[in-house]
Amino acid sequence: MPADVIIGGQWGDEGKGKIVDLLASKYSAVVRFSGGNNAGHTVINDLGEFKLHLIPSGILHDNVTCIIGNGCVIDPKVLLYEIDKLKDVGIKVSPKNLMISDKAHIILPRHIEKDSEQEKARGDFKIGTTGRGIGPAYMDKVARSGHRMENIAEWPEWEEKLGGHITSTQKLLRDLLDKDENVLLEGAQGALLDIDHGSYPFVTSSNSTIGGALTGTGLVPSDIRDTIGIFKAYATRVGEGPFPSEIEKSNPVAKHLLEKGHEFGTTTGRERRCGWFDIESAKHSIMTNGFNKIAIMKLDVLDGIKEIKVLNNIDNKIKYDTLSGWDQSTIGIKDYSDLPENAKKYLNYLEKELEIKIDIISTGPKRDQTISN
Ligand code: GDP
Ligand code: IMO
Ligand code: MG
């Protein structure tokens, strides 16, 4: 034992990939449990910059077994491309360090076609999906007409290359945990995109919250030690749907966040909508997941903003709190004491309002640009 879980606290793209890569060396296995290649997790470390869609962000560590769990949907073509791209730059990927659940479902070309047809049919009410066939693949799963990775023999070309990776990952994880090994579960998307607990219908088609971490791996509640929520120091959303603290695109602050934060989708390249941190939404995530720790990412992106606002509604009335910003650069700061006083005040404010300890503060995209205990 135990298993720790990383979960996005907002609408995805919080920086989960960076944190998984940062922590992975302490674990024997890193496991994806939900979603598919709608996810795009960025890792920047000494080996280079990587954008991972299906392969867990632990793959850059020797001695870490990466597992794609039963809760995921897998486009074999995309997975093979991702494996090849990693191999091209010298990263080892083999059945020794990448295991795929026999129960994960396969995304087929018809799912991708259906995703785009459904979006067209929705017209003005489109969801803004990533177009990767995720929803239709989960539809087939729930309708009991899907294909699982254990059926991959029906596609000899895929079976030849992926067959050796496919196994009962539930059993594998059970054995690891029974041997007292540590396991890290890597969430995809964010709590507010969860099919049940997010802003339905503007959500993804799986449970990206803690429940999905269990059903998507076959682990049990007593396996879980820490559930770590990952939040940006502000907020972004890509795709349609409600975003209470969104800043108008014409406002210079929106431009600042977009440009300084490079807020363009890792999977689709779409511009992300930008806004302020939203306390009520964050509390909903904390409640839904039972986070006992959180990370605040991209603090450096707020450098140079004069007044930082936070949406902090009271009794359903819209209310923004305003905190003073800071001029100094926080990029790459590793020591809490080196942060500008106003940055500390902002973090203290978040801790107080959210009633939760901030365990990790991220001050840049690279692995070592981090303040952690
Ligand atoms: P994920 O889907 O949650 O893994 O996040 P993405 O990789 O889609 O998006 C996060 C983006 O922010 C990536 O481009 C990261 O390299 C970048 N990033 C992560 N942490 C920080 C940080 O603390 N500061 C800055 N400036 N960028 C960060
Ligand atoms: P990571 O893991 C941000 C969004 C899409 C769309 C909605 C439904 O990188 O944080 P889908 O293709 O899943 O049916 O799209 O969910 N979405 C994400 N937004 N980050 C993600 O993943 C996302 N995965 C899906 O933009 O609004
Ligand atoms: Mg992402």
Side-chain angles (χ1 to χ4, degrees), residues 11-13 16 38-41 128-130 188-189 193 203-204 238 270:
W11 288 279
D13 303 328
K16 299 176 292 293
N38 47 350
H41 296 181
T129 72
T130 58
Q189 289 78 57
L193 288 171
V203 291
T204 191
V238 57
R270 288 180 291 177

Side-chain angles (χ1 to χ4, degrees), residues 72-361:
C72 294
V73 284
I74 299 174
D75 183 333
K77 209 172 134 196
V78 172
L79 179 57
L80 285 168
Y81 179 74
E82 198 165 323
I83 293 174
D84 283 348
K85 265 185 53 182
L86 286 170
K87 284 185 177 167
D88 282 350
V89 291
I91 309 296
K92 287 195 201 98
V93 187
S94 76
K96 283 202 184 119
N97 69 342
L98 178 67
M99 317 291 199
I100 303 166
S101 168
D102 50 357
K103 296 190 177 113
H105 276 248
I106 304 179
I107 300 180
L108 293 168
R110 66 176 154 85
H111 295 127
I112 300 170
E113 282 157 31
K114 182 140 192 181
D115 197 352
S116 114
E117 281 163 23
Q118 286 178 330
E119 280 288 85
K120 270 191 211 118
R122 286 182 189 117
D124 287 348
F125 300 98
K126 71 172 195 266
I127 292 164
T129 72
T130 58
R132 300 302 191 257
I134 305 295
Y138 279 116
M139 278 168 68
D140 272 356
K141 172 178 174 175
V142 175
R144 292 155 294 176
S145 53
H147 296 276
R148 309 211 289 192
M149 288 303 282
E150 64 193 356
N151 308 124
I152 205 160
E154 292 174 37
W155 294 270
E157 206 184 311
W158 291 340
E159 137 74 27
E160 190 200 328
K161 293 186 174 139
L162 293 174
H165 295 263
I166 300 169
T167 186
S168 167
T169 52
Q170 181 187 28
K171 175 91 180 32
L172 184 76
L173 282 167
R174 185 77 272 137
D175 289 346
L176 283 174
L177 291 168
D178 287 349
K179 277 192 278 175
D180 266 352
E181 303 277 347
N182 294 329
V183 167
L184 185 63
L185 307 190
E186 174 177 2
Q189 289 78 57
L192 306 175
L193 288 171
D194 181 282
I195 181 77
D196 287 288
H197 301 288
S199 45
Y200 190 91
F202 300 100
V203 291
T204 191
S205 298
S206 62
N207 286 112
S208 43
T209 51
I210 187 69
L214 299 181
T215 56
T217 55
L219 296 187
V220 294
S222 55
D223 289 324
I224 308 296
R225 179 178 57 184
D226 289 337
T227 307
I228 308 164
I230 315 295
F231 292 86
K232 276 181 194 171
Y234 49 98
T236 62
R237 176 165 199 165
V238 57
E240 308 301 317
F243 184 3
S245 60
E246 184 167 11
I247 304 172
E248 279 230 15
K249 246 185 103 174
S250 57
N251 183 323
V253 175
K255 195 165 175 252
H256 173 112
L257 296 174
L258 182 79
E259 286 177 3
K260 199 154 185 201
H262 301 289
E263 295 298 355
F264 297 90
T266 309
T267 297
T268 57
R270 288 180 291 177
E271 236 178 57
R272 296 176 183 143
R273 298 152 66 192
C274 295
W276 299 112
F277 195 94
D278 174 356
I279 297 287
E280 202 176 20
S281 299
K283 280 191 163 170
H284 173 66
S285 286
I286 294 168
M287 175 178 77
T288 304
N289 291 289
F291 295 143
N292 60 328
K293 291 177 176 174
I294 62 169
I296 296 291
M297 311 298 292
K298 297 189 127 177
L299 184 70
D300 55 295
V301 175
L302 297 179
D303 295 353
I305 295 180
K306 286 229 150 4
E307 285 188 331
I308 299 172
K309 298 199 177 192
V310 180
L311 183 61
N312 193 357
N313 292 349
I314 291 188
D315 298 331
N316 288 327
K317 274 209 204 96
I318 295 175
K319 173 177 94 60
Y320 278 93
D321 289 339
T322 305
L323 289 94
S324 301
W326 53 91
D327 284 330
Q328 305 94 309
S329 165
T330 62
I331 188 118
I333 289 184
K334 297 185 181 78
D335 221 318
Y336 181 83
S337 59
D338 292 337
L339 286 176
E341 281 314 306
N342 283 346
K344 289 183 192 164
K345 279 188 189 155
Y346 182 58
L347 294 165
N348 286 341
Y349 164 91
L350 291 179
E351 272 193 338
K352 187 170 146 277
E353 293 299 320
L354 298 174
E355 299 175 83
I356 194 161
K357 186 175 173 302
I358 298 174
D359 209 52
I360 300 173
I361 301 157

